[in-house]
């Protein structure tokens, strides 16, 4: 009986080595523990507690059951090393480290994926919110209405040229790729500093509808989208590049 109890103690202490944070003293149907819930195992568990090989670090309540969470003490480790080969204990520790490293890697990857998903949702929300704001027709001020009445306001053709000319210059300079909208907006503002972001998008829509420019979508991950406010929705896609129709 003593040999059986001693073996149960050794097995439990070996399991405790691999989990320094602590394990339930007894195994339940859903949770692994240090000892089985049998009579002999309970005797061995009490011996470990009485000898200070195990200490209770906390108590957790699972349903209606209170679980004692125990961890190995220095005295318990010394006793274990007297009973079994240190090599065996080291091998158990290495296996436990490898298992926890694999689990930690999975958690880190899951956290990164969750962060990427959150970033994508945030960028999408920013684009949609900006689209909602800029798509509302602006109410002209009395001064703007008077200027338009007098014929002094900017005409659509002038607005169109503010976008078309820098876009044509982009291609004339030998660019082999479509012009990103942030770059196009900066170039347009050099000649039309009064151009607002909403007007910029309105002109691009108009040129696109007239088939004077192509609007190309962003095809990468949304969280990699540079300067999201410059992009805008066209149909079901996020336009981010423009080119002149030849």
């Amino acid at each position: 009986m003593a040999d059986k109890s001693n073996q149960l103690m050794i097995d439990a202490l070996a399991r405790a080595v691999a989990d320094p944070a602590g394990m339930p003293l007894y195994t339940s149907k859903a949770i692994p523990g240090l000892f089985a819930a049998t009579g002999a195992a309970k005797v061995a568990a009490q011996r470990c507690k009485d000898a200070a090989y195990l200490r209770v670090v906390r108590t957790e309540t699972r349903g209606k059951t209170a679980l004692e969470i125990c961890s190995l003490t220095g005295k318990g480790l010394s006793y274990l090393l007297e009973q079994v080969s240190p090599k065996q204990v080291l091998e158990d520790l290495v296996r436990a480290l490898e298992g926890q490293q694999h689990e930690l890697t999975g958690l880190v990857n899951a956290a990164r994926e969750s962060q990427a998903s959150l970033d994508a949702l945030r960028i999408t929300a920013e684009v949609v919110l900006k689209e909602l704001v800029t798509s509302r027709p602006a109410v002209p001020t009395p001064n703007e209405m008077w200027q338009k009445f007098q014929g002094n306001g900017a005409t659509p053709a002038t607005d169109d040229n503010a976008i078309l000319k820098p876009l044509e210059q982009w291609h004339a300079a030998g660019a082999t790729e479509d012009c990103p909208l942030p770059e196009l907006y900066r170039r347009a503002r050099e000649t039309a500093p009064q151009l607002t972001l909403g007007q910029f998008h309105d002109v691009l829509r108009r040129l696109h509808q007239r088939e004077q420019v192509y609007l190309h979508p962003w095809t990468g991950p949304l969280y990699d989208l540079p300067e999201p406010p410059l992009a805008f929705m066209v149909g079901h896609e996020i336009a981010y590049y423009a080119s002149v129709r030849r």
Side-chain angles (χ1 to χ4, degrees):
M1 182 69 179
D3 290 342
K4 181 179 180 181
S5 180
N6 192 58
Q7 187 59 50
L8 291 173
M9 292 170 60
I10 293 171
D11 293 342
L13 296 178
R15 283 190 288 272
V17 167
D19 197 339
M23 292 182 64
L25 186 60
Y26 297 109
T27 297
S28 64
K29 291 182 179 180
I31 306 171
L34 298 174
F35 293 93
T38 63
K42 289 181 178 180
V43 171
Q46 191 60 47
R47 285 181 60 192
C48 283
K49 292 172 67 177
D50 293 342
Y53 296 158
L54 294 172
R55 65 185 182 93
V56 179
V57 292
R58 63 185 182 278
T59 301
E60 295 181 359
T61 302
R62 306 289 177 88
K64 297 181 179 180
T65 305
L67 301 178
E68 287 185 329
I69 308 301
C70 298
S71 66
L72 186 69
T73 65
K75 187 176 180 181
L77 178 59
S78 298
Y79 175 77
L80 179 63
L81 294 176
E82 292 174 359
Q83 303 298 315
V84 300
S85 167
K87 180 180 178 181
Q88 180 181 338
V89 176
L90 181 60
E91 290 174 350
D92 292 340
L93 284 171
V94 170
R95 282 194 295 269
L97 285 171
E98 290 175 347
Q100 292 196 12
Q101 178 65 40
H102 179 72
E103 182 178 351
L104 181 60
T105 300
L107 290 173
V108 170
N109 292 335
R112 287 175 178 169
E113 291 175 1
S114 296
Q115 184 61 52
S117 178
L118 287 174
D119 290 342
L121 287 172
R122 177 183 56 79
I123 291 173
T124 303
E126 290 177 356
V127 172
V128 173
L129 179 60
K130 179 178 61 63
E131 181 69 14
L132 177 63
V133 173
T134 58
S135 63
R136 294 177 179 175
V139 179
T141 65
N143 185 52
E144 289 172 339
M145 293 178 67
W146 175 251
Q147 287 183 347
K148 186 173 182 181
F149 177 76
Q150 293 293 323
N152 296 327
T155 64
T158 303
D159 292 339
D160 292 353
N161 288 332
I163 306 299
L164 280 173
K165 284 185 178 179
L167 189 56
E168 290 170 350
Q169 292 169 355
W170 168 269
H171 293 296
T176 58
E177 58 185 12
D178 303 320
C179 183
L181 296 189
E183 177 63 25
L184 180 58
Y185 183 58
R186 281 188 284 271
R187 293 184 177 219
R189 292 264 297 177
E190 291 177 0
T191 56
Q194 78 285 355
L195 184 67
T196 67
L197 183 58
Q199 292 170 340
F200 175 68
H201 288 160
D202 289 341
V203 174
L204 280 174
R205 284 194 184 89
R206 184 164 61 246
L207 294 173
H208 176 66
Q209 291 169 355
R210 292 177 180 173
E211 297 186 352
Q212 291 179 270
V213 300
Y214 287 107
L215 292 177
H216 307 280
W218 173 263
T219 57
L222 286 177
Y223 55 81
D224 282 340
L225 182 69
E227 301 182 76
L230 273 297
F232 65 102
M233 298 294 293
V234 177
H236 298 291
E237 296 179 323
I238 298 178
Y240 193 77
Y241 302 94
S243 62
V244 176
R245 285 180 181 259
R246 302 299 182 184

